[in-house]
Amino acid sequence: PGEVLKKSVCPLMVVAPNTALRLRAELDFKGENDKAFIAGDEWLFEGPGTYIPRKEVAVVETIRATVIKKNQAIKLRARKEMTDRGNVARVTGEEWLVKKVGAYLPGVYEEVVEMVKAYVMTEKVALHMRANENYTDFMNVKRKTGEEWLITMKDAESHISDVHEEVVGIVNVTTLTSRQYCVVLNPVDENGKNQLGKKKQVKGETSFFLQPGEILEEGIQDVYVLGEDEGLILKAVEAFHDTETDMQRKPGDKWKIRGPCEYVPPVEVIVHAQRKAISLDENEGIYIRDMKTGKVRSVCGRTYMLTQDEELWEKKLPIEVEGLLGSDPMADRGGSRSKVAGGERRDRTKVVTFRVPHNACVQIYDYKEKKAR
């Protein structure tokens, strides 16, 4: 008399393999073998088995095991101070990885954060990593917070990102053919530190990965291949010893090299200009000015290539003379002077030439001698 059913008759809970019940004590009590439980304690009842309930215990949730496949891992986080299944002490909020292939049943104070997949390394890609805190990586290298490095196929075939590091990105391989070269800024030394402000030249044929902090100055460049009628004007941007000519170059020095040859400029040299030989007939010429002395001269009737101290000079003439040069000499005999068809502008760097027809004459005035002929 006076008794009522708080809960109707129901079947017992059967816990399957790789499954567990998370239980919480509602009251203080003593369990089997006089083990004392305090209100608020939590523990797992792992299957397979049949769970017999107690009035002092509540079932919080059912936990199922997470299956870990090859090249996978699960990231776990501790909800309070505890010891994990590997007998490693964990503090509240600590995260770690479990990489063992198979089913893993999280502990009572463990929670699964996410499933982490491995990055598969090949000869063409590498992983750019950054450390989030001080730790020792899988290669037994001590990493400091903020440090960046690469993981290539030589280090590991696949890599699962640790909880203390993050993947910044995937770096593709840089490949140079035998006809290419590049200049790397801030190259990494043998200690893995960037040498800020320095440059390093890499010539093909080769393949390499750009380390963190390294950049290509002007991308991949082709080797200069010069023919017999081609040349380069070079300029030194810093002092160095030129091994090709066995000369000491100073910043600002200019010099010319001429083909046929192949040329790769060192990191201390820039290509100021490219030159091509100008072929001149016996009735053709060009005006050349020496940039050091300012003297202007003409070169006629031969093939000539400008040096590092020369440039083409434009000879300006009065409008009347330009009109005479642009007219048809034969039209003057008919009593009318007509412009050449098209009215093309004269190339002022070429020596002034005027075709005198048969049985005709032209008067020329020499401004230096002040004589006419």
Side-chain angles (χ1 to χ4, degrees):
E3 293 180 345
V4 295
L5 280 176
K6 183 177 181 181
K7 187 176 182 181
S8 60
V9 177
C10 57
L12 295 173
M13 296 180 66
V14 177
V15 183
N18 293 328
T19 309
L21 299 178
R22 184 153 70 91
L23 307 177
R24 181 190 297 128
E26 301 288 340
L27 301 170
D28 296 348
F29 73 98
K30 287 187 178 182
E32 298 178 359
N33 300 324
D34 290 334
K35 184 178 180 181
F37 291 92
I38 303 174
D41 281 351
E42 294 184 355
W43 66 97
L44 293 182
F45 179 84
E46 299 182 13
T50 302
Y51 173 67
I52 300 175
R54 295 177 61 109
K55 64 182 186 298
E56 302 92 354
V57 179
V59 177
V60 180
E61 64 175 340
T62 301
I63 300 176
R64 291 177 173 80
T66 303
V67 178
I68 304 173
K69 299 178 181 179
K70 190 176 181 180
N71 288 334
Q72 284 184 338
I74 56 172
K75 183 188 291 186
L76 301 175
R77 182 188 295 128
R79 296 194 294 117
K80 62 171 289 186
E81 292 185 7
M82 51 157 287
T83 302
D84 64 8
R85 294 185 181 274
N87 292 324
V88 179
R90 305 290 183 181
V91 296
T92 305
E94 183 179 352
E95 295 181 349
W96 68 98
L97 293 180
V98 176
K99 302 178 182 179
K100 187 178 180 180
V101 176
Y104 181 82
L105 189 64
V108 61
Y109 295 116
E110 299 173 359
E111 60 176 335
V112 179
V113 179
E114 62 177 344
M115 177 71 73
V116 182
K117 293 185 178 180
Y119 291 88
V120 179
M121 246 62 74
T122 66
E123 295 178 351
K124 296 182 179 180
V125 295
L127 280 183
H128 182 184
M129 310 299 297
R130 181 191 294 131
N132 294 326
E133 57 184 274
N134 296 341
Y135 83 108
T136 303
D137 64 7
F138 71 99
M139 296 181 287
N140 291 325
V141 179
K142 292 183 178 180
R143 304 293 184 183
K144 296 182 179 180
T145 305
E147 183 179 347
E148 298 182 2
W149 68 97
L150 286 187
I151 298 177
T152 63
M153 192 176 179
K154 295 179 181 179
D155 302 320
E157 293 182 357
S158 62
H159 179 67
I160 298 175
S161 178
D162 196 82
V163 293
H164 308 295
E165 63 190 22
E166 62 175 331
V167 178
V168 179
I170 295 176
V171 180
N172 293 319
V173 69
T174 302
T175 304
L176 301 177
T177 66
S178 58
R179 321 299 304 158
Q180 293 175 327
Y181 74 99
C182 65
V183 177
V184 180
L185 300 179
N186 308 324
V188 172
D189 60 10
E190 59 274 5
N191 297 322
K193 305 298 181 183
N194 288 98
Q195 303 175 72
L196 300 179
K198 289 192 175 183
K199 297 180 181 181
K200 182 180 73 171
Q201 188 182 76
V202 181
K203 299 179 183 179
E205 178 176 343
T206 183
S207 296
F208 65 97
F209 291 103
L210 282 175
Q211 297 291 330
E214 293 182 343
I215 55 174
L216 295 181
E217 186 176 27
E218 293 186 5
I220 298 175
Q221 304 178 70
D222 293 327
V223 174
Y224 290 93
V225 180
L226 305 178
E228 291 184 357
D229 60 341
E230 295 176 319
L232 294 176
I233 304 301
L234 306 176
K235 182 179 180 180
V237 294
E238 57 183 278
F240 78 104
H241 181 73
D242 191 351
T243 56
E244 293 186 1
T245 58
D246 195 22
M247 293 181 61
Q248 191 68 28
R249 303 290 184 183
K250 296 180 181 180
D253 282 354
K254 291 183 181 178
W255 67 99
K256 183 180 77 171
I257 63 170
R258 187 165 183 170
C261 68
E262 293 181 0
Y263 185 72
V264 177
V267 293
E268 302 89 358
V269 176
I270 60 172
V271 177
H272 183 68
Q274 289 184 266
R275 293 278 193 257
K276 192 172 181 65
I278 303 172
S279 300
L280 302 173
D281 192 15
E282 59 181 357
N283 292 326
E284 293 179 325
I286 53 175
Y287 294 113
I288 299 172
R289 186 177 71 172
D290 192 316
M291 291 185 287
K292 286 186 175 181
T293 63
K295 185 177 180 180
V296 178
R297 61 190 178 92
S298 62
V299 175
C300 303
R302 61 189 178 95
T303 301
Y304 188 79
M305 181 184 294
L306 297 174
T307 66
Q308 67 273 12
D309 298 321
E310 295 177 341
E311 65 177 355
L312 292 175
W313 181 76
E314 290 189 354
K315 182 179 180 63
K316 297 181 180 179
L317 297 173
I319 299 176
E320 295 80 4
V321 179
E322 292 279 4
L324 286 169
L325 293 174
S327 62
D328 185 1
M330 301 299 291
D332 190 40
R333 296 184 175 186
S336 63
R337 179 173 293 155
S338 62
K339 296 292 182 182
V340 177
E344 294 182 359
R345 181 180 179 275
R346 180 181 65 86
D347 187 354
R348 293 179 177 177
T349 62
K350 292 185 177 181
V351 170
V352 176
T353 56
F354 188 74
R355 186 168 62 89
V356 182
H358 178 65
N359 199 22
C361 66
V362 63
Q363 185 178 5
I364 300 172
Y365 183 75
D366 191 335
Y367 288 94
K368 289 184 178 180
E369 301 291 336
K370 295 186 178 180
K371 292 180 181 179
R373 61 184 177 92

